[in-house]
């Protein structure tokens, strides 16, 4: 890749292969004022850009959008090692230029206070644009006005959990109340779907018959828990008319439930995560099973294979569910899976891992753009993101398809490890541009000041993604 100076303002990316959601074209990308000004035939871009980037042989993609991150998340005695400065830097180094973060209220916060608090934490330190999902974690009925307040300031989405009793779990009647409010407001309801009573029984049986060591983690959170909760929340969505989005789907059967709900007219969507698509429960037989503890757990290899067939259909996104606990935090209670902070780091590896799969031929590059950027931007009302068509924000990745990415020590994530450590990925994210500003050049952090902005999002009007 070669940078050239020329005279006037703006930036031109010349000679690359531009990947859109619906097609791949040879085009020059003309950037002006932080937006894509034009896509021109190769060689037809004006030659007066301040910077011209020669990208022949490279792929030019929209910046990736990750709508499922947990930055600075606390669980029990542990808090993830990252903050918005380090997490958004790692995200950018991995090609992600927009995140939506969950504002999970602490015990003494209302949902709206949690959103405001997270906005303060992110402001001035984030290198990429960000938005939030509100979360109702307790006192659901008193929290309903906060769903509306959040929607009014550009946070038209709300997360609920059917799991984690005593921490964030809601009962079905409370979820129904949240869904009714969301349906009225045009907010989308995201659900962590695992039925807690099934998890509790499986965990008690495991404690009685075997042990709660992390090597047994999948047995404590069996597939029935995810399937049962998914059926229940899809029925509630049907009854209330809300748009529902199942986070971190691990099972093809859950995707099939989404499909059946759609046939009944429910606006139902789901996502999966790279670890559920590329790792399986054999990770719990390794030396450090606690490093793979997440909810839901990694599943058998057969389920992982089948999940791929649902990508792009019932599952409209692949997001990270990034949780930056480090290995020492994971290890403290390695012999008690109920006390290990759940979740895996992934804000930096999500796009490179999925890009590698695309370059291996497991999905098309246009599907990659759909799953990792465009569809999430549309579904969650993130204007200006997920495409390189004229008028969109100039959030751009330049990728060397012939390059390689060695995943080691969690790359730049504060976890110090990644579940993908040791892998050599196909492709390399060389350049990352956010609103026309270069954040990453030649694969390295370009030391640009943190200029990420809070994204106000639009409420939903229809049921398309
Ligand atoms: O294990 C996970 N997924 N931890 C993060 C919180 C959540 O459930 O999304
Ligand atoms: Zn979850
Ligand atoms: Zn999560």
């Amino acid at each position: 890749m070669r940078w050239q100076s020329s005279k006037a303002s703006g930036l031109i990316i010349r000679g690359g292969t531009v990947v859109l959601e619906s097609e791949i074209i040879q085009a020059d990308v003309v950037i002006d004022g932080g937006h894509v000004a034009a896509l021109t035939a190769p060689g037809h871009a004006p030659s007066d850009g301040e910077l011209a980037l020669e990208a022949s042989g490279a792929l030019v993609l929209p910046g990736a959008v990750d709508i499922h991150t947990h930055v600075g998340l606390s669980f029990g005695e542990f808090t993830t090692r990252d903050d918005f400065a380090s997490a958004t830097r790692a995200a950018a180094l991995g090609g992600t230029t927009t995140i939506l973060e969950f504002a999970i209220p602490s015990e003494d916060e209302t949902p709206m206070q949690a959103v405001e608090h997270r906005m303060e934490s992110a402001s001035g330190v984030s290198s990429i644009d960000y938005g939030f999902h509100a979360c109702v974690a307790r006192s659901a009925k008193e929290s309903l006005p906060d769903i509306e307040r959040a929607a009014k300031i550009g946070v038209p989405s709300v997360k609920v959990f059917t799991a984690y009793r005593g921490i964030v779990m809601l009962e079905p009647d409370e979820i129904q109340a949240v869904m009714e409010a969301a349906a009225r407001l045009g907010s989308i309801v995201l659900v962590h779907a695992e039925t807690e009573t099934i998890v509790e029984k499986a965990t008690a049986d495991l404690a009685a018959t075997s042990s709660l060591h992390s090597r047994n983690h999948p047995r404590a959170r069996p597939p029935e828990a995810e399937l049962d909760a998914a059926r229940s929340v899809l029925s509630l969505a049907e009854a209330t008319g809300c748009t529902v989005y199942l986070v971190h789907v691990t099972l093809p059967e859950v995707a099939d439930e989404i499909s059946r709900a759609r046939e009944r007219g429910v606006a139902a969507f789901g996502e999966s995560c790279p670890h559920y698509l590329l790792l399986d429960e054999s990770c719990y037989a390794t030396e450090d099973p606690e490093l793979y503890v997440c909810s839901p757990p990694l599943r058998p290899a057969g389920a992982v294979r089948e999940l791929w067939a649902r990508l792009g259909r019932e599952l409209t996104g692949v997001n990270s569910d990034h949780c930056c606990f480090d290995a020492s935090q994971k290890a403290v209670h390695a012999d008690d899976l109920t006390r290990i902070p759940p979740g895996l780091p992934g804000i930096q590896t999500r796009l490179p891992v999925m890009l590698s799969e695309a370059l291996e031929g497991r999905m098309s590059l246009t599907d990659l753009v759909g799953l990792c950027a465009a569809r999430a931007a549309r579904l969650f009302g993130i204007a200006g993101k997920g495409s390189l068509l004229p008028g969109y924000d100039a959030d751009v990745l330049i990728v060397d398809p012939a390059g390689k990415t060695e995943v080691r020590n969690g790359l730049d994530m504060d976890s110090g490890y990644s579940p993908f450590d040791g892998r050599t990925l196909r492709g390399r994210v060389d350049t990352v541009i956010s609103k026309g500003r270069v954040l990453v050049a030649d694969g390295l952090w370009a030391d640009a000041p943190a200029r990420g902005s809070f994204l106000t999002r639009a409420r939903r009007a229809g049921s398309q993604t």
Side-chain angles (χ1 to χ4, degrees):
M1 221 131 305
R2 204 153 43 81
W3 289 91
Q4 299 169 333
S5 299
S6 59
K7 287 180 198 133
S9 69
L11 169 65
I12 295 169
I13 301 169
R14 292 187 192 285
T17 301
V18 176
V19 185
L20 301 170
E21 188 186 4
S22 55
E23 60 180 331
I24 298 179
I25 54 175
Q26 294 304 127
D28 292 351
V29 183
V30 183
I31 294 171
D32 195 21
H35 296 96
V36 178
L39 295 177
T40 72
H44 285 70
S47 55
D48 57 352
E50 198 170 276
L51 271 177
L53 176 57
E54 175 55 54
S56 51
L59 301 171
V60 182
L61 284 80
V65 176
D66 187 349
I67 66 92
H68 189 157
T69 67
H70 301 278
V71 176
L73 174 74
S74 293
F75 182 91
E77 72 224 68
F78 304 105
T79 300
T80 59
R81 297 295 188 192
D82 58 354
D83 56 23
F84 281 98
S86 64
T88 56
R89 180 175 176 275
L93 281 158
T96 289
T97 51
T98 301
I99 58 167
L100 295 186
E101 161 76 13
F102 290 99
I104 300 179
S106 60
E107 254 173 62
D108 51 1
E109 276 177 331
T110 63
M112 198 56 206
Q113 285 168 340
V115 170
E116 285 161 354
H117 179 204
R118 309 293 283 159
M119 284 171 78
E120 280 163 28
S121 306
S123 174
V125 301
S126 292
S127 290
I128 59 173
D129 288 346
Y130 55 89
F132 298 98
H133 305 289
C135 299
V136 175
R138 60 193 72 82
S139 314
K141 299 206 171 123
E142 293 95 90
S143 298
L144 299 182
D146 275 15
I147 302 174
E148 180 159 11
R149 287 186 196 111
K152 279 190 174 149
I153 64 155
V155 179
S157 49
V158 55
K159 168 114 178 253
V160 295
F161 295 81
T162 67
Y164 305 129
R165 189 187 302 282
I167 308 174
V168 289
M169 183 186 121
L170 297 187
E171 296 293 345
D173 65 315
E174 296 178 297
I175 293 178
Q176 179 161 354
V178 169
M179 286 182 164
E180 279 163 359
R184 187 169 45 78
L185 292 163
S187 291
I188 183 165
V189 179
L190 302 98
V191 188
H192 172 128
E194 285 181 294
T195 300
E196 187 71 8
T197 48
I198 297 178
V199 171
E200 285 167 341
K201 180 164 186 324
T203 306
D205 288 351
L206 194 57
T209 59
S210 176
S211 98
L212 291 180
H213 192 277
S214 45
R215 80 176 83 87
N216 291 328
H217 180 57
R219 291 166 63 192
R221 307 188 83 90
E224 305 84 81
E226 188 179 339
L227 191 53
D228 182 74
R231 285 186 179 134
S232 150
V233 296
L234 288 165
S235 297
L236 289 174
E238 185 172 12
T240 57
C242 84
T243 299
V244 67
Y245 182 89
L246 299 184
V247 297
H248 49 47
V249 170
T250 71
L251 297 167
E253 294 83 355
V254 168
D256 294 343
E257 289 297 328
I258 293 175
S259 192
R260 279 191 272 277
R262 279 191 198 163
E263 282 161 19
R264 304 196 300 271
V266 183
F269 305 93
E271 65 171 18
S272 194
C273 312
H275 44 285
Y276 297 121
L277 292 162
L278 290 155
L279 302 174
D280 63 47
E281 66 179 8
S282 65
C283 292
Y284 300 111
T286 61
E287 262 182 29
D288 307 302
E290 71 277 5
L291 294 182
Y292 303 93
V293 166
C294 51
S295 328
L298 304 176
R299 300 297 191 191
V304 173
R305 266 195 307 278
E306 295 270 314
L307 206 54
W308 274 88
R310 275 74 177 174
L311 280 186
R313 294 174 17 196
E314 296 81 2
L315 305 178
T316 56
V318 176
N319 296 292
S320 67
D321 195 6
H322 171 73
C323 293
C324 204
F325 298 110
D326 72 13
S328 71
Q329 295 174 311
K330 292 289 226 186
V332 173
H333 302 297
D335 58 355
D336 182 354
L337 55 88
T338 65
R339 298 176 69 194
I340 301 169
L344 308 183
I347 204 166
Q348 185 176 7
T349 46
R350 175 189 69 123
L351 186 274
V353 160
M354 297 309 291
L355 168 71
S356 182
E357 294 302 303
L359 293 172
E360 291 283 349
R362 215 157 171 202
M363 67 177 140
S364 67
L365 288 165
T366 50
D367 283 348
L368 176 78
V369 166
L371 288 165
C372 292
R375 296 184 79 175
R378 225 168 21 249
L379 182 60
F380 287 93
I382 315 174
K385 306 295 187 187
S387 177
L388 293 177
L389 289 173
Y392 278 77
D393 288 358
D395 290 2
V396 189
L397 313 183
I398 303 179
V399 165
D400 176 5
K404 299 261 178 280
T405 303
E406 308 273 350
V407 185
R408 275 195 225 108
N409 304 323
L411 304 180
D412 301 276
M413 296 184 288
D414 290 336
S415 52
Y417 88 97
S418 157
F420 299 108
D421 277 349
R423 291 197 183 206
T424 301
L425 306 176
R426 275 186 75 163
R428 176 177 185 265
V429 177
D430 275 333
T431 305
V432 178
I433 296 166
S434 166
K435 294 179 291 189
R437 296 168 64 242
V438 176
L439 300 184
V440 177
D442 256 338
L444 299 173
W445 188 241
D447 238 357
R451 297 265 168 76
S453 316
F454 170 64
L455 298 163
T456 55
R457 294 182 288 120
R459 304 184 199 195
R460 285 183 61 70
S463 60
Q464 68 48 267
T465 64

